[in-house]
Coordinates of all heavy atoms in Angstrom, one line a residue:
N53 N 24.2 20.3 -1.1 CA 23.3 19.4 -1.9 C 23.5 18.0 -1.5 O 22.6 17.1 -1.5 CB 23.6 19.6 -3.4 CG 22.8 20.8 -3.9 OD1 21.6 20.8 -3.9 ND2 23.6 21.8 -4.4
Q54 N 24.8 17.6 -1.0 CA 25.0 16.3 -0.5 C 24.2 16.0 0.7 O 23.7 14.9 1.0 CB 26.5 16.0 -0.3 CG 27.3 15.9 -1.6 CD 28.8 15.8 -1.3 OE1 29.2 15.4 -0.2 NE2 29.6 16.1 -2.3
L55 N 24.2 17.0 1.6 CA 23.4 16.9 2.8 C 21.9 16.8 2.5 O 21.2 15.9 3.1 CB 23.6 18.2 3.7 CG 22.7 18.3 4.9 CD1 22.9 17.1 5.8 CD2 23.0 19.6 5.7
L56 N 21.4 17.5 1.5 CA 20.0 17.4 1.1 C 19.7 16.0 0.5 O 18.7 15.4 0.8 CB 19.7 18.4 0.0 CG 18.3 18.4 -0.6 CD1 17.3 18.8 0.5 CD2 18.1 19.4 -1.7
T57 N 20.7 15.5 -0.3 CA 20.5 14.1 -0.8 C 20.5 13.1 0.3 O 19.7 12.1 0.3 CB 21.7 13.8 -1.7 OG1 21.7 14.7 -2.8 CG2 21.5 12.3 -2.3
G58 N 21.2 13.3 1.4 CA 21.2 12.5 2.5 C 19.9 12.4 3.2 O 19.4 11.4 3.7
I59 N 19.2 13.6 3.2 CA 17.8 13.6 3.8 C 16.9 12.8 2.9 O 16.0 12.1 3.4 CB 17.4 15.1 4.0 CG1 18.4 15.9 4.8 CG2 16.0 15.1 4.7 CD1 18.0 17.4 4.9
Y60 N 17.0 13.0 1.6 CA 16.2 12.2 0.7 C 16.3 10.7 1.0 O 15.3 10.0 0.8 CB 16.5 12.5 -0.8 CG 15.8 13.7 -1.4 CD1 16.3 14.9 -1.5 CD2 14.5 13.5 -1.8 CE1 15.6 16.0 -2.1 CE2 13.8 14.5 -2.4 CZ 14.3 15.8 -2.5 OH 13.6 16.8 -3.1
N61 N 17.5 10.3 1.3 CA 17.7 8.9 1.5 C 17.0 8.3 2.7 O 17.0 7.1 3.0 CB 19.2 8.6 1.7 CG 20.0 8.8 0.4 OD1 19.4 8.7 -0.7 ND2 21.3 9.0 0.5
R62 N 16.4 9.2 3.6 CA 15.7 8.8 4.8 C 14.2 8.6 4.5 O 13.4 8.4 5.5 CB 15.9 9.7 5.9 CG 17.4 9.9 6.2 CD 18.1 8.6 6.6 NE 19.5 8.7 6.4 CZ 20.2 7.8 5.7 NH1 19.6 6.8 5.1 NH2 21.5 8.0 5.5
Q63 N 13.7 8.8 3.3 CA 12.3 8.7 3.1 C 11.8 7.3 3.2 O 12.5 6.3 3.0 CB 11.9 9.2 1.7 CG 12.2 10.7 1.5 CD 11.9 11.1 0.1 OE1 10.9 11.7 -0.2 NE2 12.8 10.8 -0.8
Y64 N 10.6 7.1 3.6 CA 9.9 5.8 3.7 C 9.9 5.1 2.4 O 9.5 5.7 1.3 CB 8.5 5.9 4.3 CG 7.7 4.6 4.3 CD1 7.9 3.7 5.3 CD2 6.8 4.3 3.3 CE1 7.2 2.5 5.4 CE2 6.1 3.2 3.3 CZ 6.3 2.3 4.4 OH 5.6 1.1 4.4
Y65 N 10.3 3.8 2.4 CA 10.3 3.0 1.2 C 9.5 1.7 1.5 O 9.9 1.0 2.5 CB 11.7 2.7 0.7 CG 11.8 1.7 -0.5 CD1 11.8 2.3 -1.8 CD2 11.9 0.4 -0.3 CE1 11.9 1.4 -2.9 CE2 12.0 -0.5 -1.4 CZ 12.0 0.1 -2.7 OH 12.1 -0.8 -3.8
G66 N 8.4 1.5 0.8 CA 7.5 0.5 1.3 C 7.7 -1.0 0.9 O 6.9 -1.8 1.3
L67 N 8.7 -1.3 0.1 CA 9.0 -2.6 -0.2 C 10.2 -3.1 0.6 O 11.3 -2.6 0.3 CB 9.3 -2.8 -1.7 CG 8.2 -2.4 -2.7 CD1 8.7 -2.5 -4.1 CD2 7.0 -3.2 -2.5
P68 N 10.1 -4.0 1.5 CA 11.2 -4.4 2.4 C 12.4 -4.9 1.5 O 12.2 -5.7 0.5 CB 10.6 -5.5 3.2 CG 9.2 -5.2 3.3 CD 8.8 -4.6 2.0
Y69 N 13.6 -4.5 1.8 CA 14.7 -4.8 0.9 C 16.0 -5.2 1.6 O 16.9 -5.7 1.0 CB 15.0 -3.6 0.0 CG 15.5 -2.4 0.8 CD1 16.9 -2.1 0.9 CD2 14.6 -1.5 1.3 CE1 17.3 -1.0 1.6 CE2 15.1 -0.3 2.0 CZ 16.4 -0.1 2.2 OH 16.9 1.0 2.8
N70 N 16.1 -5.1 3.0 CA 17.3 -5.6 3.6 C 16.9 -5.8 5.1 O 15.8 -5.6 5.5 CB 18.4 -4.6 3.5 CG 18.2 -3.3 4.2 OD1 17.5 -3.2 5.2 ND2 18.9 -2.2 3.8
N71 N 17.9 -6.3 5.8 CA 17.7 -6.6 7.2 C 18.8 -6.0 8.1 O 19.4 -6.7 8.9 CB 17.5 -8.1 7.5 CG 17.1 -8.4 8.8 OD1 16.2 -7.8 9.4 ND2 17.6 -9.5 9.4
T72 N 19.2 -4.8 7.9 CA 20.3 -4.2 8.6 C 19.9 -3.8 10.0 O 20.7 -3.5 10.8 CB 20.7 -2.9 7.9 OG1 19.7 -1.9 7.8 CG2 21.2 -3.2 6.5
G73 N 18.5 -3.7 10.3 CA 18.1 -3.3 11.6 C 18.0 -1.8 11.8 O 17.7 -1.3 12.8
K74 N 18.4 -1.0 10.7 CA 18.5 0.5 10.9 C 17.1 1.1 10.7 O 16.9 2.2 11.2 CB 19.5 1.0 9.9 CG 20.9 0.6 10.2 CD 21.9 1.2 9.2 CE 23.3 0.9 9.5 NZ 24.3 1.4 8.5
N75 N 16.2 0.5 9.9 CA 14.9 1.1 9.8 C 13.9 0.0 9.7 O 14.1 -1.1 9.1 CB 14.8 2.1 8.6 CG 15.0 1.4 7.3 OD1 16.0 0.7 7.1 ND2 14.1 1.7 6.4
Q76 N 12.7 0.2 10.3 CA 11.7 -0.9 10.4 C 11.2 -1.3 9.1 O 11.0 -2.5 8.8 CB 10.6 -0.3 11.3 CG 9.5 -1.3 11.6 CD 9.9 -2.3 12.6 OE1 11.0 -2.3 13.1 NE2 9.0 -3.2 13.0
A77 N 10.9 -0.4 8.2 CA 10.2 -0.7 6.9 C 11.1 -1.6 6.0 O 10.6 -2.3 5.2 CB 9.8 0.6 6.2
A78 N 12.4 -1.5 6.2 CA 13.3 -2.2 5.3 C 13.3 -3.7 5.5 O 13.7 -4.4 4.5 CB 14.7 -1.6 5.5
S79 N 13.0 -4.2 6.6 CA 13.2 -5.6 6.9 C 12.1 -6.5 6.4 O 10.9 -6.3 6.7 CB 13.3 -5.8 8.4 OG 13.4 -7.2 8.7
P80 N 12.5 -7.5 5.6 CA 11.5 -8.5 5.1 C 11.0 -9.4 6.3 O 10.0 -10.1 6.1 CB 12.2 -9.3 4.1 CG 13.7 -9.2 4.4 CD 13.8 -7.8 5.0
Y81 N 11.6 -9.3 7.4 CA 11.1 -10.1 8.6 C 9.9 -9.4 9.3 O 9.4 -10.0 10.2 CB 12.3 -10.2 9.6 CG 13.3 -11.2 9.2 CD1 14.4 -10.8 8.5 CD2 13.2 -12.6 9.5 CE1 15.4 -11.7 8.1 CE2 14.1 -13.5 9.1 CZ 15.2 -13.1 8.4 OH 16.2 -14.0 8.0
N82 N 9.5 -8.3 8.8 CA 8.4 -7.6 9.4 C 7.1 -7.8 8.6 O 6.1 -8.2 9.2 CB 8.6 -6.1 9.5 CG 9.7 -5.8 10.5 OD1 9.8 -6.5 11.6 ND2 10.6 -4.9 10.3
G83 N 7.1 -7.5 7.3 CA 5.9 -7.7 6.5 C 5.2 -6.4 6.2 O 5.6 -5.3 6.7
K84 N 4.2 -6.4 5.4 CA 3.5 -5.2 4.9 C 2.2 -5.0 5.6 O 1.5 -5.9 6.0 CB 3.3 -5.3 3.4 CG 4.6 -5.1 2.6 CD 4.4 -5.0 1.1 CE 3.5 -3.9 0.7 NZ 4.0 -2.6 1.1
L85 N 1.8 -3.7 5.6 CA 0.6 -3.3 6.3 C -0.7 -4.0 5.6 O -1.6 -4.4 6.4 CB 0.4 -1.8 6.2 CG 1.4 -1.0 7.1 CD1 1.2 0.5 6.7 CD2 1.1 -1.2 8.6
D86 N -0.7 -4.1 4.3 CA -1.9 -4.7 3.7 C -2.1 -6.1 4.0 O -3.2 -6.7 3.8 CB -1.8 -4.5 2.2 CG -2.2 -3.1 1.7 OD1 -2.7 -2.3 2.6 OD2 -2.1 -2.8 0.5
A87 N -1.1 -6.8 4.6 CA -1.2 -8.2 5.0 C -2.0 -8.3 6.3 O -2.3 -9.4 6.8 CB 0.1 -8.9 5.2
L88 N -2.4 -7.1 6.9 CA -3.2 -7.1 8.1 C -4.7 -6.8 7.7 O -5.5 -6.7 8.6 CB -2.7 -6.0 9.0 CG -1.3 -6.1 9.5 CD1 -0.9 -4.9 10.4 CD2 -1.0 -7.4 10.3
T89 N -5.0 -6.7 6.4 CA -6.3 -6.4 6.0 C -6.9 -7.7 5.4 O -6.4 -8.8 5.5 CB -6.3 -5.4 4.9 OG1 -5.8 -5.9 3.7 CG2 -5.5 -4.1 5.3
D90 N -8.1 -7.5 4.8 CA -8.8 -8.7 4.2 C -8.3 -9.0 2.8 O -8.8 -10.0 2.2 CB -10.3 -8.4 4.2 CG -10.7 -7.1 3.5 OD1 -9.7 -6.3 3.2 OD2 -11.9 -6.9 3.2
L91 N -7.3 -8.3 2.3 CA -6.8 -8.6 0.9 C -5.8 -9.7 0.8 O -5.7 -10.4 -0.2 CB -6.2 -7.3 0.3 CG -7.1 -6.1 0.3 CD1 -6.4 -5.0 -0.6 CD2 -8.5 -6.4 -0.2
Y92 N -4.9 -9.8 1.9 CA -3.8 -10.8 1.8 C -3.6 -11.5 3.1 O -4.1 -11.1 4.2 CB -2.5 -10.0 1.5 CG -2.5 -9.1 0.3 CD1 -2.8 -7.8 0.4 CD2 -2.3 -9.7 -1.0 CE1 -2.8 -7.0 -0.7 CE2 -2.3 -8.9 -2.1 CZ -2.5 -7.5 -2.0 OH -2.6 -6.7 -3.1
Q93 N -3.0 -12.7 3.0 CA -2.6 -13.5 4.2 C -1.2 -13.9 4.0 O -0.8 -14.5 2.9 CB -3.5 -14.7 4.3 CG -3.2 -15.6 5.5 CD -3.8 -15.0 6.8 OE1 -4.3 -13.8 6.8 NE2 -3.8 -15.8 7.9
M94 N -0.4 -13.6 5.0 CA 1.0 -14.1 5.0 C 1.1 -15.6 5.4 O 0.3 -16.0 6.3 CB 1.9 -13.3 6.0 CG 2.1 -11.9 5.5 SD 3.2 -11.7 4.1 CE 4.8 -12.3 4.8

Side-chain angles (χ1 to χ4, degrees):
N53 279 296
Q54 287 176 23
L55 175 58
L56 181 64
T57 300
I59 308 175
Y60 269 102
N61 289 339
R62 304 300 157 232
Q63 294 176 103
Y64 174 80
Y65 178 85
L67 299 177
Y69 64 94
N70 67 24
N71 190 38
T72 63
K74 293 180 179 178
N75 64 310
Q76 184 75 356
S79 175
Y81 285 92
N82 292 323
K84 285 186 59 59
L85 290 170
D86 277 357
L88 303 177
T89 72
D90 53 349
L91 303 190
Y92 304 98
Q93 182 79 350
M94 290 290 291

